[in-house]
Amino acid sequence: MSPRVSRSFSPPISHGEGHLKHLVTDSLVYVPSPPLVLKAGYLYRSVGRGLLVVDIAMAGEQLQVLNALDLAKTQWYHFTAIVIAGMGFFTDAYDLFSISLVTKLLGRIYYHVDGAAKPGILPPNVSAAVNGVALCGTLAGQLFFGWLGDKMGRKSVYGMTLILMVVCSIASGLSFGDEPKAVIATLCFFRFWLGFGIGGDYPLSATIMSEYANKKTRGAFIAAVFAMQGFGILAGGIVSLIVSAAFDHKFKAPSYQLDPVGSTVPQADYIWRIILMFGAVPAGLTYYWRMKMPETARYTALVAKNAKKAAADMSKVLQVDIEAEESKVEKLATEPTNSFGLFSKEFAKRHGLHLIGTTTTWFLLDIAFYSQNLFQKDIFSAIGWIPKAETMNAVQEVYRIAKAQTLIALCSTVPGYWFTVALIDYMGRFAIQLMGFFFMTVFMFALAIPYHHWTLKPNRIGFVVIYSFTFFFANFGPNATTFVVPAEIFPARLRSTCHGISAASGKAGAIIGAFGFLYAAQNQDKTKTDAGYPPGIGVKNSLIVLGVVNFLGMLFTFLVPEPKGKSLEELTGENDQEDRPQVDQQSPSTRTGPATILVILTTITSLSLLSPLSSLLSPPRALKSGKLSRAVGRRLLLVIQVVDLAMAREQLQVLSALDLARTQLYHFTAIVIAGMGFFTDAYDLFSISLVTKLLGRIYYHVEGAQKPGTLPPSVSAAVNGVALCGTLAGQLFFGWLGDKMGRKSVYGITLILMVVCSVASGLSFGNERKGVMATLCFFRFWLGFGIGGDYPLSATIMSEYANKKTRGAFIAAVFAMQGFGILAGGIVSLIVSAAFDHSFNAPSYEKDPVGSTVKQADYVWRIILMFGAAPAALTYYWRMKMPETARYTALVAKNARKAAADMSKVLQVDIEAEETKVEKLAMEPANSFGLFSRQFARRHGLHLLGTTSTWFLLDIAFYSQNLFQKDIFSAIGWIPKAETMNAIHEVFRIAKAQTLIALCSTVPGYWCTVIFIDYMGRFAIQLMGFFFMTVFMFALAIPYHHWTLAPNRIGFVVMYSLTFFFANFGPNATTFVVPAEIFPARLRSTCHGISAASGKAGAIIGAFGFLYASQSQDKTQTDAGYPPGIGMRNSLIVLGVINFLGMLFTFLVPEPKGKSLEEMTGENEDDSPELDMQPPTNRTVPV
């Protein structure tokens, strides 16, 4: 039997020593000596019967302390380091960007001109000095402290920068002088030294975080530190809002137009000082923790050469015992690769191009990034955030500028940063940087080429949108990656220096972008330049230059290596040895071959098998040792790692076969069979919203009314909500039944129910409208009941059929068919209404209230509802032909023979029926506890709380979209007023709107989840989705009055669309996926049904409770039939809080990515010794 290609699935080790010999030798693996097997035996005793993975890593002379850091799981100390380093960046951003909030105020206070039509402003040279001196200080600080960090140590210098920032923040606010020149000169002096301290934080924070992080998530950790800038900018805006609002309330002043002198109260001089001085607070709070933080192990061991201290420090941090390898440190220190300097030929050969890449890309990025100042005034004016200066007093102007910056930070800056954090270790630094520069180039040329078009007032909103995208892709792109990469690719002894050089290059670009382009962008006509500026090349040409700058950034990105997933020493070559053979001198990115092969020794079922394993591990059983040792170097590091504890226990062959199966046709067949059910579910649930207006016209017409008839609130709630109530009941009932009778047996019942009730809904009868509505509600309840059953059954079936590698994508793909169901509902409604509208021409309601609703319109809603039966009926045959899932058959029904037979046909392999193993598993206590037992509460109680609460909270927010639908459709002109259309044409317009929303927002959101779920993980996507839903909901709520104004409706639509997109590319999909993976097979369908029913309870609250809550507090302004509520703005704030709570409850939900179902549920656990009960995650033992 070939070890690489086999049509039979059975553990190779059961065939004896010979098979294993071929498996190992064919995989080109050599393990140095038999005594290591004794340690493997010890590991065997620690973990029980196990699937052992032997990973022979090219460790070279890697120190244990560094290896421990690289392989450490993400834990508390990582987040502590992020906060300590990140709070420095929070302060940096606050201090650097807060000055722009008060420059207008400084102009009014110190440069007022009596009799001028406009308030005083800072002269160009003074403005450049006040804004730019901190950038110059930052540049100098990056170079100096970067160098000092490599000479004195990261921790030693880290405190200096913070002290400098605290002192200079306070001193900036205390700037003194009798004349404007003296105040500004003092301010500039202290802001230079403030910038000097800020500059030091760049290389030090990045280097410390990179040297503390594990290699798997290092990019996200460094990016998270940098992302704290966003919160710093946000804090600057918020502090300015609070201070200015307080002063404006306390010291009332007229506008400049009414009283030029009185518009600037004397107390305004305190405002800018308080705002600037507040920057000392976060820096001061961080100081103690920075001083308590130990020096990084990489500096201590590789630069200071103190192995004992490095091991002692990291033993405390990691809470493990680490050997102090002093001899190894001394040996590494003697290597020529660890002694060359920054200006040596060796550095130029190894890292010269890398340094050119990091400096040029950061330089070019910051030119474009800081040139945003060119457009700020245009943007703020275009969206009405800042009125003309003369219409406000001095304090109000600070408030309006702060409000604008806060909103920009909230909607663009912060999301861009955290997109990078979420995706950098999946996409990689290179891909994100290249993508960012590419889109910045595209959007910059899109602004530049038709520049005259954007200057016209009606097109300003388009200008704002494109500008926002440019800014977003700068942050979700090179603005973050240029900070991350230099902290990873240079040797420890030069890391801080090289990062400082790269950052200083960026600040040089920032100075050019912020000030050089202010001059360059001036009009070529002298008479049209800003006061004090000479003519330039014009804004259009400046934008073209910036587009070219971004394109050059894209090209220079190719000089930067990809550090994703590699240790710092692998990237820098600090473990390379001069006397190794040539094969070792390959670059880290191309080093492959025997040294990195992974070998699976399959399931060890008895201790007696260790004997043949021992003989196998001796040199004669593998390749000759000489060749392999030359390929690997002087030393091999053997890591025996326990992976997949689910496999490690008494895992059945049939389940292992499913878990390890390659993606093939039967997977897609299962997706279509299960997915068509969800297609039908979505069609039936959402199609009713397309015809409720028509039902109102037909059955609730009022003679003489100015508007067409509508369903009364109680009837509307019943028609729309009764299916949701049925769905809730069906989820609980069929979820329970699926675990009792089997998934397949119940699967057909739900489909029959859906087909019958879809047809019956369309045939609703009665002599009066009450009879029709009552019949419709009755059948839609039972339709919902059938739909409810499809949730737990489809999810469970797909999870139990899928392989563990792509299981998330398969379950999400089933759920994503909802999007196509909603789309189909819209398309069918379009076709039916267009056909009837063409055949039966009718006037609008304004012209003929009775004639606008033709008798044949009664067929339209019936046909639309009945069409839902078609896809369900087409799927029935394939559902019945589908075999029961192997996990139900083997683990619940205890029929090993049938499970093996069914899956042998599906997978087209021979699978052994392990009846004794099934019997043994059935006797384990871990496989017998019930839903209401203490054992379930201990093992899965928090998980069930997590899945129910997140789904409940998500559906409140998700279904509350009904609040805004009418505003959105009206805002973008998709639905005219009802009285201007006939009944059938109204159906057409509503269907068109829903179809376009499904096409542009719903479907893309679902399929983004399908694509990324097995890369990002369920937890990351759900957390990200709730986060952005929270952000956008508050962005709608806080300035709600702003969005109600007609010119701002487009912005409202964009915000709403993003909320909806991140619901679908977020918790709307993951809340469906996770409950199908984390509960035992015998309770899986039940627990999924409970979670889904909790969601539907939230949906009922969201869809109907909030319709009442959102009514105006003024009785005269409520919708007909509704009592007063808490108002739309307060409702939106409540929804924002709900999304935030969903984000918090997400932390109760485990991450199932890449794990088998049995590993997640513990169904293979036996009564092994207590040591066996340790969690299976990433347990490694270096031998």
Side-chain angles (χ1 to χ4, degrees):
M1 184 186 301
S2 167
R4 288 183 290 257
V5 181
S6 174
R7 298 305 296 166
S8 175
F9 190 91
S10 54
I13 200 161
S14 64
H15 294 280
E17 178 186 345
H19 186 92
L20 260 178
K21 179 190 75 174
H22 291 301
L23 177 66
V24 176
T25 55
D26 283 3
S27 300
L28 303 179
V29 173
Y30 163 66
V31 183
S33 58
L36 290 176
V37 177
L38 296 177
K39 296 192 178 183
Y42 172 79
L43 182 67
Y44 167 82
R45 287 194 299 276
S46 297
V47 299
R49 306 170 185 87
L51 179 70
L52 301 183
V53 175
V54 180
D55 181 8
I56 301 179
M58 183 164 307
E61 295 290 338
Q62 177 76 312
L63 298 170
Q64 276 189 34
V65 66
L66 306 187
N67 203 43
L69 283 166
D70 279 340
L71 300 176
K73 288 209 82 183
T74 300
Q75 48 195 283
W76 184 247
Y77 83 88
H78 287 120
F79 296 107
T80 306
I82 289 171
V83 171
I84 293 170
M87 281 307 289
F89 260 85
F90 178 98
T91 306
D92 299 348
Y94 182 98
D95 290 332
L96 276 181
F97 290 90
S98 60
I99 193 68
S100 64
L101 300 170
V102 298
T103 47
K104 295 274 190 183
L105 180 60
L106 290 171
R108 285 191 184 234
I109 295 171
Y110 297 108
Y111 290 89
H112 171 71
V113 178
D114 285 324
K118 294 182 179 180
I121 58 170
L122 296 179
N125 60 329
V126 176
S127 177
V130 169
N131 286 284
V133 71
L135 294 178
C136 297
T138 304
L139 188 155
Q142 287 164 334
L143 292 171
F144 176 72
F145 284 111
W147 167 78
L148 205 62
D150 285 333
K151 293 299 175 186
M152 292 178 59
R154 290 60 158 125
K155 178 190 172 179
S156 307
V157 186
Y158 214 25
M160 296 181 200
T161 62
L162 214 57
I163 291 170
L164 205 51
M165 281 162 22
V166 170
V167 171
C168 293
S169 289
I170 295 170
S172 296
L174 298 175
S175 298
F176 52 85
D178 297 326
E179 295 182 358
K181 282 186 179 179
V183 175
I184 300 301
T186 314
L187 176 61
C188 289
F189 174 81
F190 287 120
R191 281 195 62 79
F192 175 86
W193 291 107
L194 173 64
F196 195 71
I198 289 171
D201 231 42
Y202 275 71
L204 294 172
S205 290
T207 301
I208 286 170
M209 197 63 245
S210 75
E211 293 181 347
Y212 261 104
N214 61 50
K215 64 182 180 182
K216 185 178 179 184
T217 54
R218 186 178 61 238
F221 290 160
I222 306 172
V225 169
F226 190 66
M228 293 296 282
Q229 270 200 347
F231 292 123
I233 297 168
L234 199 60
I238 292 169
V239 169
S240 301
L241 283 173
I242 294 168
V243 174
S244 58
F247 273 75
D248 193 36
H249 179 74
K250 183 72 175 173
F251 307 104
K252 297 291 183 185
S255 68
Y256 185 87
Q257 284 176 333
L258 299 175
D259 184 355
V261 176
S263 66
T264 306
V265 295
Q267 293 83 357
D269 194 52
Y270 294 115
I271 292 175
W272 69 269
R273 296 176 185 274
I274 293 169
I275 291 169
L276 296 185
M277 289 168 74
F278 190 84
V281 175
L285 292 173
T286 314
Y287 183 76
Y288 169 74
W289 299 104
R290 282 204 178 182
M291 292 301 92
K292 200 176 175 186
M293 197 177 191
E295 182 58 84
T296 71
R298 284 182 161 92
Y299 180 85
T300 308
L302 299 177
V303 185
K305 310 291 190 291
N306 191 337
K308 190 169 291 189
K309 191 173 187 316
D313 286 346
M314 291 309 106
S315 292
K316 290 177 186 174
V317 169
L318 297 172
Q319 297 181 323
V320 295
D321 294 328
I322 298 174
E323 182 187 345
E325 301 166 293
E326 294 174 278
S327 58
K328 197 181 288 185
V329 167
E330 290 170 11
K331 189 176 180 184
L332 281 172
T334 61
E335 293 290 342
T337 54
N338 295 326
S339 59
F340 58 80
L342 180 64
F343 300 104
S344 64
K345 286 184 179 179
E346 187 71 5
F347 179 86
K349 180 165 73 80
R350 287 173 174 260
H351 303 291
L353 283 178
H354 297 167
L355 188 58
I356 291 172
T358 58
T359 52
T360 52
T361 51
W362 206 334
F363 174 77
L364 294 164
L365 173 274
D366 272 10
I367 291 175
F369 187 76
Y370 280 81
S371 69
Q372 62 170 298
N373 297 329
L374 289 175
F375 323 123
Q376 211 85 296
K377 60 182 185 297
D378 301 318
I379 288 161
F380 292 166
S381 302
I383 52 185
W385 286 347
I386 302 182
K388 290 181 178 180
E390 57 269 25
T391 64
M392 300 177 284
N393 65 44
V395 181
Q396 285 173 341
E397 188 173 32
V398 174
Y399 181 86
R400 297 306 290 262
I401 294 169
K403 181 182 175 183
Q405 180 165 306
T406 304
L407 287 170
I408 280 184
L410 201 61
C411 303
S412 179
T413 310
V414 173
Y417 281 128
W418 289 95
F419 257 81
T420 304
V421 174
L423 298 175
I424 193 169
D425 285 310
Y426 298 95
M427 292 175 64
R429 291 71 160 154
F430 177 83
I432 288 178
Q433 186 162 312
L434 202 67
M435 174 192 73
F437 271 128
F438 172 76
F439 282 111
M440 287 172 73
T441 305
V442 169
F443 291 125
M444 203 62 84
F445 282 128
L447 288 172
I449 295 166
Y451 180 70
H452 176 69
H453 169 80
W454 301 121
T455 60
L456 304 176
K457 198 168 185 179
N459 305 323
R460 287 285 182 87
I461 295 296
F463 181 87
V464 173
V465 171
I466 292 182
Y467 166 81
S468 299
F469 276 121
T470 308
F471 200 46
F472 175 81
F473 280 107
N475 291 320
F476 180 33
N479 193 35
T481 55
T482 51
F483 176 81
V484 172
V485 173
E488 301 179 293
I489 62 175
F490 299 108
R493 66 190 179 281
L494 300 170
R495 185 169 291 133
S496 180
T497 304
C498 291
H499 194 285
I501 292 169
S502 303
S505 172
K507 277 298 168 282
I511 293 165
I512 294 171
F515 306 109
F517 268 82
L518 273 179
Y519 286 84
Q522 294 300 313
N523 199 292
Q524 292 166 302
D525 183 348
K526 286 183 181 181
T527 61
K528 295 180 180 179
T529 61
D530 293 340
Y533 287 93
I537 60 174
V539 174
K540 181 179 181 181
N541 292 331
S542 296
L543 287 169
I544 290 171
V545 171
L546 288 173
V548 173
V549 165
N550 287 323
F551 181 72
L552 290 173
M554 189 164 63
L555 296 183
F556 277 102
T557 296
F558 288 93
L559 296 179
V560 181
E562 175 56 74
K564 184 181 81 166
K566 297 174 184 175
S567 74
L568 296 178
E569 287 66 44
E570 185 182 358
L571 285 159
T572 61
E574 285 171 282
N575 285 334
D576 286 356
Q577 296 171 16
E578 287 295 301
D579 57 348
R580 284 185 188 171
Q582 188 61 35
V583 69
D584 252 347
Q585 299 302 319
Q586 299 176 54
S587 67
S589 58
T590 58
R591 194 180 291 149
T592 56
T596 54
I597 296 293
L598 200 70
V599 183
I600 297 179
L601 298 182
T602 70
T603 307
I604 301 175
T605 54
S606 73
L607 190 56
S608 63
L609 285 171
L610 284 174
S611 179
L613 180 60
S614 173
S615 63
L616 176 68
L617 289 172
S618 59
R621 294 288 183 186
L623 295 179
K624 292 181 180 179
S625 62
K627 183 175 179 181
L628 188 69
S629 64
R630 284 196 300 274
V632 176
R634 294 175 182 171
R635 183 185 173 106
L636 287 173
L637 182 70
L638 177 65
V639 179
I640 301 181
Q641 183 175 7
V642 182
V643 292
D644 292 336
L645 192 59
M647 293 269 192
R649 307 289 181 180
E650 294 287 344
Q651 178 74 311
L652 299 171
Q653 283 186 31
V654 65
L655 306 188
S656 298
L658 284 166
D659 279 339
L660 301 175
R662 286 194 158 203
T663 301
Q664 48 195 282
L665 182 60
Y666 85 87
H667 286 122
F668 296 105
T669 306
I671 289 171
V672 171
I673 293 170
M676 282 306 290
F678 261 85
F679 178 97
T680 304
D681 298 348
Y683 182 98
D684 288 333
L685 276 182
F686 289 90
S687 59
I688 192 69
S689 65
L690 299 170
V691 298
T692 48
K693 296 274 191 184
L694 181 60
L695 291 171
R697 285 190 184 237
I698 295 170
Y699 297 107
Y700 290 87
H701 172 68
V702 179
E703 293 290 344
Q706 291 184 340
K707 293 182 179 181
T710 59
L711 297 179
S714 56
V715 177
S716 177
V719 170
N720 285 283
V722 72
L724 294 178
C725 296
T727 303
L728 188 155
Q731 287 164 335
L732 292 171
F733 177 72
F734 285 111
W736 168 79
L737 205 62
D739 285 332
K740 294 298 176 187
M741 292 177 59
R743 291 50 160 138
K744 178 190 171 180
S745 308
V746 186
Y747 213 26
I749 300 172
T750 62
L751 213 59
I752 291 170
L753 207 51
M754 288 181 342
V755 170
V756 171
C757 293
S758 288
V759 174
S761 295
L763 297 175
S764 297
F765 51 84
N767 296 322
E768 296 181 357
R769 62 191 181 192
K770 282 188 178 179
V772 176
M773 293 300 128
T775 314
L776 176 61
C777 288
F778 174 81
F779 287 121
R780 280 194 64 78
F781 175 86
W782 290 107
L783 172 65
F785 195 71
I787 288 171
D790 230 42
Y791 274 72
L793 295 172
S794 290
T796 302
I797 286 170
M798 196 64 246
S799 76
E800 293 181 347
Y801 262 105
N803 61 50
K804 66 180 180 181
K805 186 179 178 184
T806 55
R807 184 179 62 237
F810 291 161
I811 305 172
V814 169
F815 191 66
M817 294 296 283
Q818 270 200 348
F820 292 124
I822 296 168
L823 199 61
I827 292 169
V828 168
S829 300
L830 282 173
I831 294 168
V832 172
S833 58
F836 273 75
D837 198 30
H838 179 74
S839 299
F840 308 100
N841 283 320
S844 67
Y845 185 88
E846 286 176 327
K847 294 179 180 177
D848 185 353
V850 176
S852 66
T853 306
V854 294
K855 291 181 179 180
Q856 292 83 357
D858 195 50
Y859 294 116
V860 172
W861 69 269
R862 296 176 184 275
I863 293 169
I864 290 169
L865 295 187
M866 290 170 71
F867 189 84
L874 291 173
T875 314
Y876 184 77
Y877 169 74
W878 299 104
R879 283 204 178 182
M880 293 301 94
K881 197 176 176 185
M882 197 177 192
E884 182 58 83
T885 71
R887 283 182 162 91
Y888 180 84
T889 308
L891 299 177
V892 185
K894 310 290 189 291
N895 191 336
R897 194 180 295 274
K898 189 173 188 320
D902 286 345
M903 292 307 105
S904 292
K905 291 177 185 174
V906 170
L907 297 172
Q908 297 182 324
V909 296
D910 296 328
I911 299 175
E912 183 185 343
E914 300 165 292
E915 292 174 283
T916 55
K917 198 179 284 187
V918 167
E919 290 170 11
K920 187 177 178 183
L921 280 172
M923 294 165 62
E924 295 291 344
N927 296 326
S928 58
F929 58 80
L931 180 65
F932 300 104
S933 64
R934 286 185 181 179
Q935 185 77 341
F936 178 87
R938 185 170 67 83
R939 287 173 175 257
H940 304 291
L942 283 178
H943 298 166
L944 186 59
L945 177 62
T947 57
T948 52
S949 57
T950 50
W951 206 334
F952 173 76
L953 293 165
L954 174 275
D955 273 10
I956 291 176
F958 187 75
Y959 280 81
S960 70
Q961 62 169 297
N962 297 328
L963 291 174
F964 322 125
Q965 211 84 296
K966 60 182 184 298
D967 300 318
I968 287 162
F969 293 166
S970 301
I972 51 185
W974 286 348
I975 301 182
K977 291 181 178 179
E979 56 270 26
T980 64
M981 299 178 284
N982 64 45
I984 296 175
H985 190 64
E986 188 176 30
V987 174
F988 180 86
R989 296 304 291 263
I990 294 169
K992 181 182 176 183
Q994 181 166 304
T995 304
L996 286 170
I997 280 185
L999 203 60
C1000 302
S1001 179
T1002 311
V1003 173
Y1006 280 128
W1007 288 95
C1008 274
T1009 304
V1010 175
I1011 293 166
F1012 289 111
I1013 193 167
D1014 286 310
Y1015 297 97
M1016 293 175 64
R1018 291 70 162 154
F1019 178 83
I1021 288 178
Q1022 186 160 312
L1023 202 67
M1024 175 192 73
F1026 271 127
F1027 172 76
F1028 282 114
M1029 288 171 73
T1030 305
V1031 168
F1032 291 124
M1033 202 61 82
F1034 282 128
L1036 288 172
I1038 295 167
Y1040 181 69
H1041 176 70
H1042 169 81
W1043 301 119
T1044 60
L1045 304 176
N1048 305 323
R1049 287 288 181 86
I1050 295 296
F1052 182 86
V1053 173
V1054 171
M1055 290 281 187
Y1056 167 79
S1057 299
L1058 287 171
T1059 308
F1060 200 47
F1061 173 80
F1062 280 108
N1064 291 320
F1065 180 31
N1068 193 36
T1070 54
T1071 51
F1072 175 82
V1073 172
V1074 173
E1077 302 179 292
I1078 62 175
F1079 299 108
R1082 67 190 178 281
L1083 299 170
R1084 185 168 292 133
S1085 179
T1086 303
C1087 290
H1088 195 286
I1090 292 169
S1091 303
S1094 174
K1096 278 297 168 282
I1100 292 165
I1101 294 171
F1104 307 109
F1106 268 83
L1107 274 177
Y1108 286 84
S1110 64
Q1111 295 300 314
S1112 175
Q1113 292 167 302
D1114 182 350
K1115 286 183 181 181
T1116 62
Q1117 294 180 12
T1118 60
D1119 293 341
Y1122 287 93
I1126 60 173
M1128 185 69 80
R1129 184 175 187 268
N1130 292 333
S1131 296
L1132 287 169
I1133 289 171
V1134 171
L1135 289 173
V1137 172
I1138 285 169
N1139 287 323
F1140 180 73
L1141 289 173
M1143 189 164 63
L1144 295 183
F1145 277 101
T1146 295
F1147 287 93
L1148 296 178
V1149 181
E1151 176 55 76
K1153 184 182 81 165
K1155 297 176 183 175
S1156 73
L1157 296 178
E1158 288 66 45
E1159 184 181 358
M1160 291 300 303
T1161 61
E1163 286 172 281
N1164 284 334
E1165 290 184 2
D1166 56 21
D1167 290 327
S1168 300
E1170 186 60 29
L1171 196 55
D1172 266 5
M1173 304 307 289
Q1174 297 177 40
T1177 54
N1178 295 329
R1179 193 181 299 146
T1180 62
V1181 179
V1183 185

